Amino acid sequence: MSAHLVIAPLIAPFVAGVLLLALRDLTMPVRRRLAVLAVLVQIGIASALLVAVSGGDILVYRLGDWPAPWGIVLVADRLAAWLVLITTLLALFAVIHAGDGLDRRGRHFHVLFQMQLFGLAGAFLTGDLFNLFVFFEILLIASYGLLLHGGGPERVRAGLHYVVINLLGSIVFLFAAGLIYASLGSLNLADLAARAAAVPPENLGLARTGGLLLLAVFALKAALLPLFLWLPAAYAHTAAPMAALFAIMTKVGAYAILRVATLLFGDTAGALANLFTPWLLPLALATLAFGMLGALAAQNLRRLAAWLVVASIGTLLTAFALGTAGIAAGLYYLPHGTFAAALLFLLAEAIARRRPASADFFMPDHDLPRHALWGGLYFVAAVAIVGLPPLSGFIGKFLLLRAAPDHPVVWVFILLAALAGMIALARAGSRLLFRTSSLEPAGIPATAGGPDHLRDEPPDPPTGPRELTAILGLLGLILALTVAAGPAVDFTQAAALQLADPAAYIAAVLGGTP
Amino acid sequence: MEALLALVIGVLTGCGVYLVLRARSFPVVLGLTLLSYAVNLFLFASGRLVIGQPPVIGAATSYTDPLPQALVLTAIVIGFAMTAFVIMLSLRARAELGNDHVDGRSDT
């Protein structure tokens, strides 16, 4: 079993997806339980993988036992295992929340969900540039289905933009992969890293072009400025559990940037060294600023949450641009930002369900039932996402700032962004929770216009305990990340040190046949 | 031959980019198709152009690189599926939004 541990995170969701497709005649409660069970199994596998790599081993799985670089490899190091675990934990609460009625709105919801997890795990574990493209396509085509799940004009409009822009991204990815292959003669990441230092001078221009095109593609997936405009509409109009799961999708782009920047274009890459460095920090800071401006301008909670996802990717890539200490801080901040964004999407849906007339728009409406509960949850989520003490967001940002002692610009941006986020969330909270009105609400003004003012569909009435389970579960993950900050930071620092030394990765993949 | 292939890829890419920037969903889909043709040819050329040689090392004095051919095959399959999907989505958008503008708004 342990020999196949690296491929298990791919096999489990794939088998579960195929099973759910074959068993589509079972009743929905049974399929839901199967889906939750499948995600629980994946959490177990991901935890086992994390334990297996936590000692610093880099596990390599050669498909068909072909030696690299000729065969296809899967590689699990600390970074990949960390992200697979985060994905599966997030997926558990997304799938629980989806059991609240969303999965009845179309066939094959759970199949697509498992395929999405398959693509995500593959993208994190692959050791091959072209397979990264293939897994991107798998996770994207599943995400197209999930994004559009439930239908409605607004969702289709946002979905069309999302699909077209991601297809363009895929085409640019292929151009980039072709350029990299043409100039360096390989597609295996470790082999590329070994060859990057010795790129022939006549191919240097091609290799640089390919590398920067790769950065553009990953920036599109990560929603980095100026390629983030697809995100707010797509995330604000999709169903809440899907928006929660998609909080990890932008992190796939961030992961790919980090992997390629440290492995291919690290310090040892000769003429190609630090190819991304001049771009990353300015773009990340600008993304952070724009995300917060968007959050200040948002008119409803879901769009506010979507802009905060943009800001969180800005924070994350700022951290990744700050060297090893920054990468360690970013890897600690990554799960926090993901879980907090997912939490806010689920809360927005919960509040919208309890305000039938004005949904999650910032206008007076009747008081929420059990307003102390929802107000309290909103308060805790807002504290988490802005990064106030005592929750993990504060620890992540504190580590980030400590990693940037000689970058006053980073301090200014991070602190001002936190202030802007606090203002946006305080304004949203007071309008949604405090300014209640006993009058019949006016409803959404038709004159206000703009696509934001049309709801996709009337919100579902509040239902069973699944919603609260998912919200409290995500909150529990954030609390766990706070309580276990010591071990988690030790782990992310070890992961960052592992990334700083690509020689070990190259040796593990290329060295020695099995 | 290099010049001809480069010209074809360039023209296809140019037309594709132009069409993708159109406001109606049908030209956008056509543009995506042209771009995927361009990228397939581009990938094919990334192994360098060799005429009349087998894709096997040692069978002749020189050989053509087999890897780009495998990549192109994968890219064609994925591109085909994606084109089918985006056509269905455009039709759905046409039905839901009442027009084929990519932003879903009628003519102004």
Side-chain angles (χ1 to χ4, degrees), chain A residues 9 24 33 49 71 80 92 114 120 125 143 179 223 237 246 250 294 305 310 328 369 371 378 380 392-393 438-439:
Chain A
R24 63 182 178 278
R33 284 193 198 118
L49 187 62
L92 176 65
Q114 298 295 329
L120 284 165
L125 288 172
S143 81
L179 280 169
H237 289 299
F246 289 176
T250 50
V310 176
H371 63 256
Y378 178 83
V380 178
S392 46
S438 58
L439 298 171

Side-chain angles (χ1 to χ4, degrees), chain B residues 2-107:
Chain B
E2 278 83 0
L4 182 64
L5 192 69
L7 196 66
V8 168
I9 294 173
V11 168
L12 279 174
T13 310
C15 296
V17 169
Y18 176 79
L19 285 172
V20 163
L21 296 173
R22 300 282 85 197
R24 303 269 160 203
S25 51
F26 183 66
V28 171
V29 174
L30 271 189
L32 287 171
T33 317
L34 288 185
L35 279 174
S36 71
Y37 292 157
V39 80
N40 288 341
L41 285 176
F42 182 83
L43 278 181
F44 193 71
S46 71
R48 304 297 190 272
L49 298 174
V50 180
I51 295 176
Q53 297 298 329
V56 181
I57 299 178
T61 47
S62 76
Y63 67 97
T64 175
D65 192 343
L67 188 78
Q69 304 179 9
L71 300 188
V72 169
L73 204 59
T74 315
I76 287 174
V77 173
I78 292 177
F80 189 69
M82 291 296 176
T83 308
F85 182 83
V86 78
I87 288 173
M88 287 314 295
L89 182 61
S90 308
L91 289 173
R92 172 88 175 270
R94 169 73 183 79
E96 293 258 5
L97 303 169
N99 61 73
D100 64 346
H101 194 284
V102 287
D103 288 334
R105 49 166 187 252
S106 47
D107 282 319

Side-chain angles (χ1 to χ4, degrees), chain A residues 155-246:
Chain A
R155 209 166 277 178
V156 171
R157 187 206 308 266
L160 186 63
H161 292 181
Y162 175 78
V163 171
V164 169
I165 197 130
N166 274 302
L167 286 179
L168 279 174
S170 306
I171 289 166
V172 178
F173 197 160
L174 282 177
F175 273 116
L179 280 169
I180 296 273
Y181 182 72
S183 57
L184 296 176
S186 182
L187 285 168
N188 181 299
L189 288 175
D191 196 26
L192 281 174
R195 290 167 182 238
V199 56
E202 71 271 17
N203 284 346
L204 187 60
L206 283 180
R208 289 179 68 90
T209 314
L212 288 174
L213 275 179
L214 274 185
L215 176 64
V217 177
F218 299 151
L220 176 74
K221 311 283 181 206
L224 196 65
L225 187 100
L227 301 168
F228 68 94
L229 289 168
W230 56 271
L231 188 143
Y235 281 34
H237 289 299
T238 189
M242 291 305 86
L245 181 65
F246 289 176

Side-chain angles (χ1 to χ4, degrees), chain A residues 31-48:
Chain A
R31 275 187 284 159
R32 271 178 199 155
R33 284 193 198 118
L34 271 178
V36 172
L37 183 69
V39 178
L40 284 173
V41 168
Q42 289 163 40
I43 291 177
I45 292 170
S47 310

Side-chain angles (χ1 to χ4, degrees), chain A residues 241-311:
Chain A
M242 291 305 86
L245 181 65
F246 289 176
I248 194 76
M249 295 258 294
T250 50
K251 274 62 176 187
V252 180
Y255 161 81
I257 289 178
L258 180 62
R259 174 69 80 200
V260 170
T262 53
L263 187 58
L264 261 63
F265 305 124
D267 293 327
T268 54
L272 291 169
N274 302 322
L275 187 63
F276 291 178
T277 311
W279 298 94
L280 214 46
L281 190 59
L283 288 180
L285 289 175
T287 310
L288 179 60
F290 267 80
M292 280 307 172
L293 288 178
L296 283 173
Q299 291 299 309
N300 64 347
L301 192 53
R302 287 199 283 181
R303 194 161 277 247
L304 174 63
W307 280 107
L308 288 175
V309 171
V310 176

